[in-house]
Amino acid sequence: MRTITTTEDLATFCKRAAKFPYVTVDTEFLRERTYYSKLCLIQLAFAGEGDDDAVLVDPLVDGLDLAPLYELFEDAGVVKVFHAARQDLEIFFVDQGVIPAPLFDTQVAAMVCGFGEQAGYETLVRKIAKDSVDKSSRFTDWSRRPLTDAQKTYALADVTHLRVIYEFLSGELDKSGRKKWVAEEMAVLNDPATYRVDPENAWKRVKTRTNSGKFLAIVKELAKFREDYAQTRNIPRNRVFKDDALVELASTKPASEKDLGRSRLLLRDARKGDIAAGILAAVKSGQAMRAEDQPRVENIREKLQVNPALADMLRVLVKSKADSTGVAQKLIATSSDLDAIAGGIRDVAALRGWRKEVFGAEALRLCAGEVGLAVKGEKVVTIEI
């Protein structure tokens, strides 16, 4: 097992990898104590024939420059293969503003190729690579050095198995003509906006039981402060204060540090100093927000007066399409997509691209009363009306 610790060796490996049609990539990282993931290890492999066609790269070594890797990531002639790529890609984007392209995510491809809703890596290793994953090193601290042989073996297996999985899935997509479907799905992962967290929109992730504009205004300002504070200091947002404490603060509207001391849910460190000052300022700002600037939560069912019978029929249709095509149902259409369609909205993902071909076109005909649903044996089919 070879571990790259110098920029020169990394450049040599990447130059060799660039001669092959694809390279498999994985990372090990920590995020428990930081806002941004701490990159601890990079695994790379290409379809070579030697013992050094799969390597570990140690980014924690002083003086190692990842520039050769980022150059490989931007090489349009080499497909970069990941499994469940989003977190890995976020690390590289935050570090250098680079998103590997062209990109292939085996999790998405597996959902297109009939491996179900949860196309987990272990499942694909077992079913495609005919092997098993050693779980013993899964929850180790990847920032500690030296790495054990068991850790190295575990990490390297992630990219060596991935070669077999990629080649199989790529072949299946070629046979089915669905490779363009996966390419469409990569658009979200290739979009820099996917990896940017705007403090202005942080409130949208906070679950509340009320949609009052005055209440949500305070939630928005508190969430914005928390996100700014966590990003600036690179600490987890929950170390500032948790969501339940945020909702409590929006309800109680504290006006002084004495008020903060009465909170049941606020961490002790948040009741004084910079965090306390930020909380009080955010509450005051939220209370002063003009009505026209207050955030709104749209309830699709209430706004569109969704026909529940039609929504249920669309759910039956999408399930039948998932069964007949082998594509994971949640990849074809989400529950909110179906509600939106049943409510007359047409600008939804389920009605565009490959989804329209698989489901959307018939969904629109169902909404228009041009087709109905019938049971034929064990299948649900559409019939002309």
Side-chain angles (χ1 to χ4, degrees):
M1 289 175 289
R2 181 184 170 204
T3 301
I4 290 177
T5 57
T6 69
T7 305
E8 182 181 4
D9 283 350
L10 178 60
T12 299
F13 178 85
C14 291
K15 187 175 181 179
R16 289 183 60 212
K19 297 177 182 179
F20 292 84
Y22 71 87
V23 59
T24 55
V25 189
D26 191 30
T27 68
E28 305 298 341
F29 56 87
L30 294 179
R31 198 170 189 170
E32 289 81 6
R33 298 185 293 272
T34 58
Y35 182 91
Y36 299 106
S37 296
K38 179 181 180 180
L39 181 60
C40 298
L41 194 67
I42 306 168
Q43 303 97 283
L44 303 168
F46 56 83
E49 297 178 353
D51 294 333
D52 58 351
D53 56 3
V55 298
L56 305 175
V57 180
D58 190 347
L60 301 184
V61 174
D62 288 340
L64 177 64
D65 188 346
L66 295 179
L69 177 62
Y70 291 131
E71 185 176 343
L72 177 63
F73 282 171
E74 294 178 322
D75 187 335
V78 182
V79 177
K80 272 62 72 172
V81 182
F82 293 78
H83 180 83
R86 183 163 178 159
Q87 285 189 299
D88 299 315
L89 299 181
E90 181 183 19
I91 292 172
F92 297 126
F93 180 77
V94 170
D95 181 58
Q96 199 64 27
V98 172
I99 300 175
L103 180 67
F104 188 99
D105 190 325
T106 55
Q107 184 177 62
V108 175
M111 292 171 72
V112 170
C113 290
F115 285 86
E117 300 278 322
Q118 302 296 331
Y121 184 69
E122 290 178 33
T123 299
L124 300 184
V125 170
R126 185 176 68 254
K127 292 186 176 181
I128 297 176
K130 308 301 181 185
D131 208 334
S132 60
V133 175
D134 179 7
K135 302 178 184 180
S136 60
S137 297
R138 174 177 294 177
F139 299 112
T140 57
D141 184 348
W142 291 100
S143 67
R144 298 186 64 179
R145 294 295 184 272
L147 295 174
T148 66
D149 287 343
Q151 285 177 304
K152 292 179 181 180
T153 299
Y154 168 87
L156 205 59
D158 282 346
V159 286
T160 53
H161 288 320
L162 200 54
R163 294 182 298 196
V164 179
I165 293 169
Y166 167 69
E167 291 182 2
F168 175 84
L169 293 175
S170 182
E172 291 297 297
L173 292 170
D174 282 334
K175 287 188 288 186
S176 65
R178 296 178 180 179
K179 185 161 281 189
K180 63 178 182 178
W181 296 8
V182 175
E184 283 184 36
E185 295 307 294
M186 295 302 100
V188 173
L189 294 176
N190 283 320
D191 185 355
T194 300
Y195 311 103
R196 295 191 182 109
V197 180
D198 183 358
E200 286 285 344
N201 294 320
W203 67 275
K204 296 178 181 179
R205 294 196 307 268
V206 180
K207 295 181 179 179
T208 66
R209 293 185 177 182
T210 175
N211 293 336
S212 161
K214 292 181 179 180
F215 177 80
L216 290 178
I218 302 175
V219 169
K220 180 178 181 178
E221 292 302 302
L222 285 168
K224 177 183 176 182
F225 162 70
R226 180 177 66 173
E227 208 71 26
D228 274 327
Y229 191 93
Q231 288 182 359
T232 302
R233 291 159 179 78
N234 194 25
I235 60 174
R237 62 176 65 89
N238 283 345
R239 286 267 300 277
V240 186
F241 47 83
K242 297 182 179 181
D243 281 2
D244 54 359
L246 189 156
V247 173
E248 180 191 51
L249 293 168
S251 300
T252 58
K253 306 177 186 64
S256 66
E257 287 194 12
K258 185 177 180 180
D259 293 338
L260 292 178
R262 300 189 183 99
S263 170
R264 295 180 301 107
L265 303 173
L266 201 60
L267 297 173
R268 182 171 299 177
D269 289 344
R271 302 181 186 192
K272 57 186 178 180
D274 291 344
I275 298 180
I279 290 173
L280 296 176
V283 171
K284 185 176 180 179
S285 177
Q287 288 177 304
M289 190 179 295
R290 298 180 305 174
E292 57 267 33
D293 296 330
Q294 292 171 355
R296 299 282 186 270
V297 175
E298 293 185 352
N299 187 311
I300 289 179
R301 279 189 174 272
E302 291 178 0
K303 182 179 178 181
L304 300 178
Q305 297 181 336
V306 175
N307 180 332
L310 178 56
D312 288 343
M313 291 176 70
L314 288 169
R315 284 171 169 76
V316 173
L317 178 63
V318 74
K319 185 180 185 308
S320 72
K321 294 300 182 182
D323 291 342
S324 63
T325 61
V327 179
Q329 182 175 324
K330 69 178 182 181
L331 194 63
I332 298 174
T334 65
S335 181
S336 59
D337 280 344
L338 300 177
D339 285 342
I341 294 170
I345 297 295
R346 297 296 177 256
D347 184 20
V348 295
L351 300 180
R352 295 193 296 268
W354 67 267
R355 291 177 173 83
K356 183 175 182 179
E357 176 185 340
V358 171
F359 163 76
E362 281 203 89
L364 291 176
R365 295 192 70 203
L366 181 66
C367 292
E370 296 173 3
V371 297
L373 301 179
V375 176
K376 187 175 182 180
E378 296 182 351
K379 297 180 180 180
V380 173
V381 297
T382 55
I383 55 173
E384 297 289 333
I385 296 178

